[in-house]
Amino acid sequence: MDPQQILQFPHAAAPAAGTSLEVAPGLRWLRMPLPFALDHINLWLLQDGDGWTIVDCGIATDHTKGLWEQIFATPLGEQRQPLQAQRVLVTHCHPDHAGLAHWLCQRFGARLWMSQAEYLTAHAIREGVAGYTPSNLLAMYRRNGLAGEALEKMAVRGNRYRQAVPEFPQNYRRIMDGDEIGIGGRRWRVIMGYGHAPEHAALYSAELGVLISGDMVLPKISTNISVWSVDPDGNPLRQFLDSLKRYAQLPVDTLVLPSHGLPFRGLRERVEQLEEHHLRRFEELHEVCSQPLSAFEVIPTLFQRELDTHQLFFAMGEAMAHLHYLYYQGALKRETDADGVIRYLRDGAFRIETAAI
């Protein structure tokens, strides 16, 4: 059976660009385009008294701004009034979520709400400080086997983040794990997730039975989990799998509002699917590392298709994340060759703890 047949999708299609669709009382769904293979992001409007809380923003392009203008001009909610934002809440710092945060905050005189790690990381990546530099990233990828034409193409990317997030607010309201945020007379609990981003905020309303999952739980694709150059020995995939257990504890009928794909029910089943997906990847990598291989050399095992430079950027980080998980689990050992490249070799039995629910 197709794994997607296990999930329930209340809506067969997304709202058209520049429009919104109510998916729960006082909660509207928007979809904005993205200029790469993952071609869309879902955004959310939560009715908040006489105004609205915007959850996530879209990437900073003139096209996205134009679609927002259409939303601004459309009467919303029971009062049929134009959108007035009370606050802009950003789940995490990635550009499709944070790109227009400054623009939206400025337009409405609204405050940015965000976790501290995500807020500071956004500024660090934009400014190329605290180790968030293209040269630092390239050096890490080079140590992990990226070479030749692929490395040359990666080197000319520059600071792509700054292009997609041209400005960012200079102050914010900090949100933390477990916070209860009052929005429109309802309480939304912050559930932090880790591995995909430093401190990703998902939002859960028990009253509505809704989880705004951001990128932590997606219905059809697996969330990108990458090792970053500021933490080159990190184990983000362990953090991600641990985070999934928290979401799986929510009620079985929870409506999940993801950043990509369609809203769905079947959260626990989806967590099991994601665990099984990574289990297969771990088994494949453990098998192929019967000889020393770098992260770059195992990419064909994880991604059995041709990748462009944008996709290779994420594939390198994800290959490293899977290898690091197996290394810390004791299933692989790693060594640095005379050419300075880190390679991994099978060293022990493979196991993974599953059953998140």
Side-chain angles (χ1 to χ4, degrees):
M1 177 183 292
D2 182 349
Q4 295 306 305
Q5 294 180 12
I6 300 173
L7 307 181
Q8 301 172 24
F9 296 91
H11 302 276
T19 70
S20 67
L21 174 68
E22 186 172 75
V23 294
L27 198 166
R28 304 191 72 85
W29 172 22
L30 291 67
R31 176 167 284 191
M32 296 292 183
L34 296 176
F36 32 77
L38 185 59
D39 63 2
H40 72 273
I41 180 171
N42 299 322
L43 313 175
W44 314 98
L45 297 177
L46 308 182
Q47 195 152 20
D48 194 0
D50 294 332
W52 297 80
T53 287
I54 297 173
V55 179
D56 287 337
C57 307
I59 204 165
T61 65
D62 289 340
H63 184 40
T64 308
K65 289 180 181 179
L67 294 174
W68 269 116
E69 294 289 354
Q70 293 182 41
I71 298 295
F72 300 155
T74 304
L76 298 173
E78 296 180 357
Q79 298 177 349
R80 306 301 294 167
Q81 297 293 324
L83 187 148
Q84 290 294 324
Q86 308 280 46
R87 77 191 101 195
V88 176
L89 195 155
V90 174
T91 59
H92 62 295
C93 68
H94 294 165
D96 49 335
H97 299 259
L100 284 176
H102 181 270
W103 182 73
L104 289 167
C105 288
Q106 288 287 100
R107 183 182 182 94
F108 294 105
R111 175 65 60 84
L112 171 69
W113 289 50
M114 200 172 186
S115 68
Q116 185 174 75
E118 299 296 332
Y119 177 78
L120 296 178
T121 299
H123 278 290
I125 299 174
R126 285 192 71 259
E127 301 302 327
V129 297
Y132 286 100
T133 62
S135 60
N136 198 23
L137 181 71
L138 286 173
M140 182 185 73
Y141 281 176
R142 190 181 298 110
R143 290 193 302 273
N144 283 272
L146 189 66
E149 183 181 0
L151 180 63
E152 293 173 2
K153 289 182 177 180
M154 195 79 71
V156 300
R157 283 169 53 89
N159 189 335
R160 297 289 293 274
Y161 188 89
R162 192 180 185 92
Q163 298 170 28
V165 189
E167 298 179 276
F168 204 65
Q170 294 297 307
N171 58 70
Y172 76 118
R173 169 71 180 270
R174 183 181 182 182
I175 60 176
M176 300 177 67
D177 185 51
D179 281 355
E180 296 275 348
I181 304 174
I183 303 176
R186 299 186 175 92
R187 309 302 295 177
W188 289 83
R189 175 161 58 95
V190 178
I191 306 177
M192 291 302 183
Y194 307 93
H196 174 66
E199 196 180 12
H200 181 300
L203 301 172
Y204 174 67
S205 167
E207 181 179 346
L208 289 177
V210 168
L211 173 70
I212 299 178
S213 65
D215 281 346
M216 290 301 295
V217 187
L218 304 175
K220 290 191 175 182
I221 62 174
S222 59
T223 300
N224 174 262
I225 309 298
S226 288
V227 174
W228 295 98
S229 56
V230 296
D231 186 16
D233 292 316
N235 192 4
L237 197 41
R238 174 75 275 171
Q239 297 172 357
F240 176 73
L241 293 172
D242 286 345
S243 296
L244 288 182
K245 294 176 171 62
R246 306 185 67 194
Y247 306 120
Q249 295 169 5
L250 296 176
V252 295
D253 60 347
T254 297
L255 176 63
V256 182
L257 305 182
S259 291
H260 309 284
L262 299 175
F264 70 95
R265 288 188 171 89
L267 177 57
R268 297 186 183 184
E269 291 82 359
R270 184 56 182 153
V271 167
E272 288 182 343
Q273 291 172 2
L274 290 168
E275 286 187 326
E276 291 169 1
H277 165 80
H278 288 292
L279 172 61
R280 291 192 297 270
R281 300 291 85 78
F282 291 139
E283 290 173 336
E284 291 164 357
L285 283 180
H286 190 250
E287 179 67 24
V288 78
C289 285
S290 58
Q291 57 180 327
L293 293 174
S294 69
F296 181 62
E297 290 166 334
V298 304
I299 284 178
T301 300
L302 295 175
F303 302 92
Q304 298 176 359
R305 65 184 188 275
E306 186 175 352
L307 303 175
D308 60 25
T309 301
H310 178 77
Q311 293 165 331
L312 180 61
F313 171 85
F314 292 105
M316 276 295 298
E318 191 147 345
M320 292 175 61
H322 282 81
L323 290 168
H324 284 199
Y325 182 98
L326 289 170
Y327 168 74
Y328 287 114
Q329 192 254 10
L332 298 178
K333 63 181 179 181
R334 65 185 180 189
E335 55 191 29
T336 303
D337 290 352
D339 57 3
V341 173
I342 301 169
R343 289 186 166 85
Y344 294 80
L345 179 65
R346 191 190 309 162
D347 189 42
F350 166 71
R351 66 188 184 281
I352 181 176
E353 296 178 6
T354 56
I357 56 176

